[in-house]
Amino acid sequence: MALPFPDGPSPDGRLRLTVFGTGYLGTAHAACMADAGFHVLGVDADPARVKELSAGEPGIYEAGLAVLLRRGLASGRLAFTTSYRRAAAFGDVHFICVGTPQRADGSAAAELSQVEACLDTLAPLLDKPCLIVGKSTVPVGTAARLARRGLPGGAELAWNPEFLREGHAVADTLRPDRIVAGVASARAEAVLRRVYWRQLIDGVPFVVTDLATAELVKLAANSFLAAKISFVNAMAEICEIVGADSAMLAQALGYDPRIGGSALRPGLGFGGGCLPKDTRAFAGQAAELGAAQPAALLRSVDAINTGRRDRMVQLAAELAGGSLAGTRVGVLGLAFKPGTDDIRDSPAMAVATAVSDLGALVTAFDPAAMDRARAQQPRFRYARSVLEAACDADVLLVLTEWPQFAAADPCQLAAVVARRNVADGRHALDPARWQAAGWRYRALGQGRPLHPQRPASQRSMQASSSSVSTGLVT
Ligand code: UDX
């Protein structure tokens, strides 16, 4: 059997798409594809999620997603179901967008059970030609291995990794930087060209590769971004020792077009549902493949990143006078970055939890992530505003760079805190403004020397004798 409708112009309404998994990736993909004119059926095993989406509620904080979702539902081109049978009968192209989290057994490897279960459930139900397109991030070789498990005649597997950023999911899906089509046949390529007709008209680069290269592009892209952030944070560590300013350093570096300023902001480092776990999983796979140096590189990217969290806790303790026990700490920001309510592997949550573990009473505020944070960490107090989080605080920590925090009035906050100490983990505040309002301002990788300059041997002795144990894994 041939793959469906490989030829012809842009959508004629006949090419029908399904999207398995309705997280950030799947929901954005389903809504954007419906907007591009396709009939789309979103599939999720969770009936509550299907009900929520069918009612036009995205259930996640993503700019523009609710509008697209409701428009798709109203047009009759977008629907959601829990039924694989219905999806198999409906779809010509099936997108797999389910999660590939880090394994719960403590190893860094990716947990592929959701991808495997999706394919194993769908495959026996397929009775017409179709293309199955993996979008989830997977170890290299996964697509080939899955294809070997056997697909019914007329079904073929392709891999088309997704590079969207949370908070920009809709914009990145509608107008990606590039589309990578990992295919095993010209017909699969032709189907993907028809799916992405709108992006191709817009001139988005379309890179056709084999399956393994497509998988690897995604892993390499995430690792490169992670490495770039860890590089600037490694420089920030040196800035702290010598009294240089990492924010200025990054700005100056970024003007070099070969370096570029994106993913070069020093601070608390990367978190979220992708970069940390993908970097670790890739490091693990590189080691398994016998690529020792790439594995070591990726592991040190991860170690530098988690080291920044420890350093932030240490900075908070320094501002508190040496010990956090019994102090009140106001925490501004819990999401792993602004513009999202996602707290997966959030540096902010990790620092706030470590500070609380050291005996501080944490009062936290985040403009979007409060509900998720409350469910994960009932030990904190939760404030309704920046001002309330700052009330009676001995130290204020800025852990996510929400614009609301930069806009906060340091004079107003100075009037409600117990002590005017602020540690800025994201270079979010204007130091001059805060200092003028009487605050003792410190930032990761910025300002004055954190330790007197001495030979390295003495520095490490001092660090070990005065360091604060944070309980964080580095
Ligand atoms: C990332 C990739 O950007 C995306 O291409 C991939 O598909 C999924 O992973 P996302 O997790 O949404 O997307 O976040 P991103 O905006 O890249 O930021 C990741 C983390 O790095 C955040 O915690 C952010 O605060 C941090 N970061 C980012 C920095 O610390 N410095 C920077 O300069 C940039």
Side-chain angles (χ1 to χ4, degrees), residues 22-24 26-28 30-31 44 46-62 64-74 78-80 341 371-372:
T22 57
Y24 288 90
T27 308
D44 203 292
D46 177 5
R49 180 74 183 135
V50 166
K51 195 171 165 204
E52 179 176 56
L53 289 166
S54 304
E57 292 300 332
I60 46 180
Y61 184 93
E62 268 301 333
L65 186 56
V67 173
L68 273 196
L69 175 65
R70 288 169 199 162
R71 197 152 79 203
L73 292 167
L78 180 61
F80 295 91
D341 61 351
D371 289 345
R372 289 185 195 272

Side-chain angles (χ1 to χ4, degrees), residues 50 80 84 129 157 193 205 210 220 255 267 299 323 330 382 469 472-473:
V50 166
F80 295 91
Y84 273 60
L157 188 63
R193 282 187 185 278
D210 55 87
Y255 286 130
R299 284 198 179 118
S323 167
Y382 290 94
S469 167
L472 290 172
V473 181

Side-chain angles (χ1 to χ4, degrees), residues 163-166 218 263-265 270-271 274 336-337 426:
F163 303 96
L164 64 79
R165 296 160 300 162
E166 281 179 31
K218 171 67 185 193
L264 203 65
R265 280 193 325 276
F270 58 83
C274 294
F336 83 97
K337 66 173 188 178
R426 294 290 186 183

Side-chain angles (χ1 to χ4, degrees), residues 193-288:
R193 282 187 185 278
R194 287 206 54 213
V195 167
Y196 291 114
W197 69 277
R198 201 191 219 185
Q199 287 79 4
L200 291 176
I201 286 174
D202 284 348
V204 173
F206 189 81
V207 184
V208 181
T209 73
D210 55 87
L211 295 171
T213 305
E215 293 164 329
L216 196 52
V217 170
K218 171 67 185 193
L219 296 171
N222 273 3
S223 302
F224 187 84
L225 293 172
K228 203 173 167 194
I229 296 167
S230 278
F231 181 85
V232 80
N233 281 333
M235 295 303 106
E237 207 173 316
I238 294 174
C239 286
E240 285 163 5
I241 298 165
V242 301
D245 181 332
S246 63
M248 296 301 296
L249 175 86
Q251 189 186 343
L253 286 176
Y255 286 130
D256 185 330
R258 294 167 302 173
I259 297 174
S262 62
L264 203 65
R265 280 193 325 276
L268 203 41
F270 58 83
C274 294
L275 294 194
K277 62 120 178 138
D278 290 348
T279 306
R280 281 180 212 133
F282 194 22
Q285 192 183 20
E288 269 173 29

Side-chain angles (χ1 to χ4, degrees), residues 116-428:
E116 288 167 356
C118 179
L119 209 59
D120 289 349
T121 313
L122 177 65
L125 301 171
L126 296 171
D127 60 1
K128 61 175 184 169
C130 63
L131 184 65
I132 302 169
V133 185
K135 288 188 88 62
S136 310
T137 304
V138 292
V140 190
T142 301
R145 185 173 61 76
L146 292 174
R148 280 197 299 274
R149 283 156 79 109
L151 291 172
E156 186 178 329
L157 188 63
W159 220 265
N160 165 223
E162 182 59 57
F163 303 96
L164 64 79
R165 296 160 300 162
E166 281 179 31
H168 304 265
V170 169
D172 287 352
T173 306
L174 291 176
R175 184 85 175 71
D177 298 323
R178 75 293 210 187
I179 293 165
V180 176
V183 293
S185 77
R187 296 188 75 82
E189 177 190 336
V191 171
L192 282 174
R193 282 187 185 278
R194 287 206 54 213
V195 167
Y196 291 114
W197 69 277
R198 201 191 219 185
Q199 287 79 4
L200 291 176
I201 286 174
D202 284 348
V204 173
F206 189 81
V207 184
V208 181
T209 73
D210 55 87
L211 295 171
T213 305
E215 293 164 329
L216 196 52
V217 170
K218 171 67 185 193
L219 296 171
N222 273 3
S223 302
F224 187 84
L225 293 172
K228 203 173 167 194
I229 296 167
S230 278
F231 181 85
V232 80
N233 281 333
M235 295 303 106
E237 207 173 316
I238 294 174
C239 286
E240 285 163 5
I241 298 165
V242 301
D245 181 332
S246 63
M248 296 301 296
L249 175 86
Q251 189 186 343
L253 286 176
Y255 286 130
D256 185 330
R258 294 167 302 173
I259 297 174
S262 62
L264 203 65
R265 280 193 325 276
L268 203 41
F270 58 83
C274 294
L275 294 194
K277 62 120 178 138
D278 290 348
T279 306
R280 281 180 212 133
F282 194 22
Q285 192 183 20
E288 269 173 29
L289 293 169
Q293 284 184 340
L297 172 71
L298 295 165
R299 284 198 179 118
S300 79
V301 166
D302 185 35
I304 290 167
N305 191 53
T306 47
R308 293 283 79 193
R309 302 176 185 192
D310 279 346
R311 182 68 196 111
M312 188 69 199
V313 178
Q314 199 178 23
L315 194 55
E318 284 172 18
L319 280 172
S323 167
L324 284 161
T327 60
R328 289 172 182 268
V329 174
V331 163
L332 300 183
L334 295 166
F336 83 97
K337 66 173 188 178
T340 178
D341 61 351
D342 195 348
I343 56 165
R344 284 176 295 168
D345 210 334
S346 166
M349 286 296 287
V351 169
T353 301
V355 161
S356 163
D357 287 345
L358 289 169
L361 179 65
V362 168
T363 306
F365 173 71
D366 186 283
M370 299 291 273
D371 289 345
R372 289 185 195 272
R374 214 176 261 118
Q376 189 186 97
Q377 185 49 278
R379 206 197 307 152
F380 302 163
R381 282 188 187 169
Y382 290 94
R384 279 160 300 185
S385 65
V386 173
L387 198 65
E388 199 180 316
C391 246
D392 297 328
D394 297 298
V395 181
L396 200 56
L397 304 180
V398 180
L399 304 180
T400 313
E401 66 275 35
W402 284 97
Q404 291 91 322
F405 303 157
D409 179 356
C411 296
Q412 196 189 18
L413 295 177
V416 302
V417 291
R419 289 192 280 159
R420 297 176 188 181
N421 292 314
V422 62
D424 186 353
R426 294 290 186 183
H427 301 280

